[in-house]
Amino acid sequence: MKRSDSKSKECTLNAEDGYVRMFLRGRPVTMHIPDDLRGSYSLDQKVALPDRKLKLQWVYGYRGRDCRCNLYLLPTGEIVYFNASVVVLYNVEEQQQRHYLGHNDDVKCLAIHPDMVTIATGQVAGTSKDGKALPPHVRVWDSVSLNTLHIIGMGVFDRAVTCVAFSKSNGGANLCAVDDANDHILSVWDWQKEKQLAEVKCSNDSVLGAAFHPMESNLIVTCGKSHINFWTMEGSTLTKRQGLFEKHEKPKYVLCVAFAENGDAITGDSSGNIYIWAKGGNRISHAVPGAHEGGIFSLCVLKDGTLVSGGGKDRKVVHWDHEYHKQGEVEVPEAFGPVRCLTEGKQEELFVGTTRNAILQGSFSRELTPIVQGHTDELWGLDVHPSMEQFVTCGQDKQVHLWDTTTHQPLWSKAIEDPARSAGFHPSGAVLAVGTMTGRWVVLDTETRDLVSVHTDGNEIISNVKYSPDGAYLAVASHDNFVYIYSVTDNGRKYSRVGKCSGHSSFVTHLDWSTDSQFIVTNSGDYEILYWEASSGKHITSMDAVRNLEWATSTCVLGFSVFGIWPDGADGTDLNAVCRSHDGALLASADDFGKVHLFSSPCSQPRAPSHQYGGHSSHVTNVAFLHDDSHLISTGGKDTSVLQWMLA
């Protein structure tokens, strides 16, 4: 009996007037039942789980903006790196990706064992849906089978694991890690026994790198803000010797450390100097002052013993011989930003990760070309092409990318003047509209990416730009509580404002068109559902006029056909987006806990069951099925990632 009591508080059916009422944060949300269901509808019916499932197929982007040492080449021919909570193994030649999905929040660091098969990755502290803390930890896993071998440091690390490394000389038996606690604790582990051997306060300041010496298994070098420390481990104690800069310029940050063939340590710093620290000592034996203009973010010793360094401000990748004389250089194109990480490829090839979340491939004899690209700031705008294997994304980084889902590369990228928030294709596919954070919205030619039209409505976020199914209207929804309606002529090239929908008392969040292009339904920040006549912008108050309408899309998170997607006790902001498949059988939703859910559609029973999928690490901001329902695209907010899922 108790269950039905609690349930009746949450969801009520008024059969006489034909509506269901649910509550979000104590506010009633009333949803009207179509006439053909009124006689048979009951709250107790069960929605089945969908028989389809999602499988992650592709991760767009790379986390270079705030992580380092996170790009390596494996003997399998795959490069390994991470984005959001996914570790990606990408075979560039075969255009295949595999994914390690063991983490439940942002991955921050990555290390490869000397066996070149075992991988360690460290993650940040997260929170689960029910508010439980997910502790930061290191996962050790097999890069061939993708099986997790060991989980290290649950309950030991604080905030995040920022550095991880395997020992090199004793068969790789040890692993060291640095966390993001105030004292930045350096700990050493026997990873196979999952046992901590030693720990020590590393530095009050941020630690940016940690590595075992290649020949001495008890020697660890750490570097970071105004320090380089040489640690010796004896038993369970770690003893520190600070690196002495003596007559050399002491940099603000020592950014990276690598080791020469003879065991010398090599550092790159924020002042652009390369310093060589003679093996076993803590003094500089050789200096290359001003090797780069601006900081040196990465150092990589090649198999032939020569050195490659990667510059921040100058975006240069420089090759140095054994005596540290410059041999050659190549520059990262400005659009891709400073170098973040370098790794050696086959023959004379290099892979370069950048702070603008791209990975490039090339060598000193040929230029660097991008093989991975992504957004660099929060991402909300997404729409799929009406008839082709393409989708558009736009974000607060002011970038609009048109992606090809088969090559996983942008067909084009365009910088616009304002941070972007929403996108929508015209039904012809000839143009697409982009809404920004400033009230401005622009129309771009899909083929040439030329600016076709620029308009401003209000000065707040444009949360939605959506064309009517017949292409004759464009609805522009704003955080100023209004929806602006434009008539569209000349195949999406001419716009004139015909109406303004006013009646919401909060910002407009979602919007759908009726299949006949006559009506609009909207949701708002205070959980209202309102209906409008498109041609005039008139608010429709008679529910009998709208309860039987068919909707061309289903992106409103509040409505009779979707309310089952709301979980128990949900806060009204827990769901950011929903999308119905074109065949009408599935609903995908995007939540605030990094999950993409797949439901059966329609979803008109409380708390419907769903398949759920991790991969994003922060809130998932948007979801969209490709025109043929073969794939689902999802976008991440703070993780800036785009994930492509196959429908299986």
Side-chain angles (χ1 to χ4, degrees), residues 36-248:
D36 59 353
L37 296 174
R38 277 173 81 165
S40 60
Y41 180 78
S42 140
L43 279 177
D44 299 327
Q45 285 159 328
K46 289 278 171 271
V47 182
L49 266 173
D51 47 12
R52 309 285 300 273
K53 292 195 168 151
L54 297 179
K55 183 178 189 315
L56 183 60
Q57 185 195 29
W58 204 265
V59 175
Y60 294 82
Y62 149 79
R63 184 163 181 168
R65 66 187 187 287
D66 58 356
C67 291
R68 46 202 81 230
C69 305
N70 59 354
L71 175 63
Y72 298 95
L73 178 69
L74 299 175
T76 55
E78 294 165 307
I79 51 173
V80 57
Y81 55 95
F82 53 78
N83 199 16
S85 68
V86 185
V87 188
V88 182
L89 300 102
Y90 175 21
N91 187 316
V92 183
E93 273 172 38
E94 291 175 18
Q95 280 295 297
Q96 292 284 324
Q97 280 188 357
R98 298 188 302 135
H99 306 105
Y100 176 72
L101 295 167
H103 287 280
N104 54 22
D105 212 309
D106 277 315
V107 181
K108 287 290 296 232
C109 54
L110 170 75
I112 312 287
H113 190 271
D115 67 14
M116 297 305 281
V117 174
T118 311
I119 294 182
T121 40
Q123 75 164 61
V124 303
T127 22
S128 69
K129 195 168 176 170
D130 38 22
K132 280 213 258 314
L134 303 170
H137 61 275
V138 172
R139 303 180 83 84
V140 180
W141 48 280
D142 180 306
S143 63
V144 176
S145 67
L146 301 183
N147 289 335
T148 303
L149 305 172
H150 298 282
I151 296 173
I152 291 167
M154 279 284 187
V156 175
F157 299 120
D158 199 13
R159 295 186 195 151
V161 183
T162 53
C163 304
V164 65
F166 284 104
S167 58
K168 303 186 182 79
S169 58
N170 58 354
N174 296 353
L175 176 136
C176 72
V178 181
D179 74 2
D180 205 16
N182 291 343
D183 288 340
H184 299 95
I185 304 293
L186 166 66
S187 54
V188 181
W189 302 76
D190 176 330
W191 59 268
Q192 281 157 311
K193 292 186 179 147
E194 300 178 15
K195 187 174 144 232
Q196 187 173 316
L197 304 175
E199 68 164 38
V200 69
K201 171 183 164 178
C202 189
S203 166
N204 288 332
D205 297 314
S206 53
V207 178
L208 301 177
F212 278 92
H213 192 277
M215 299 156 191
E216 316 278 337
S217 60
N218 65 337
L219 187 63
I220 298 169
V221 181
T222 62
C223 65
K225 188 171 180 185
S226 59
H227 75 271
I228 172 169
N229 292 333
F230 298 87
W231 302 89
T232 310
M233 186 166 100
E234 278 161 19
S236 62
T237 50
L238 283 158
T239 340
K240 169 171 86 173
R241 281 180 306 160
Q242 289 185 325
L244 305 174
F245 289 91
E246 298 173 320
K247 62 178 195 232
H248 301 280

Side-chain angles (χ1 to χ4, degrees), residues 90 333 336 352 358-361 367-373 409-410:
Y90 175 21
F336 303 114
V352 183
I359 299 175
L360 298 93
Q361 185 180 18
E367 60 185 38
L368 299 167
T369 53
I371 53 171
V372 174
Q373 291 180 62
Q409 294 295 337

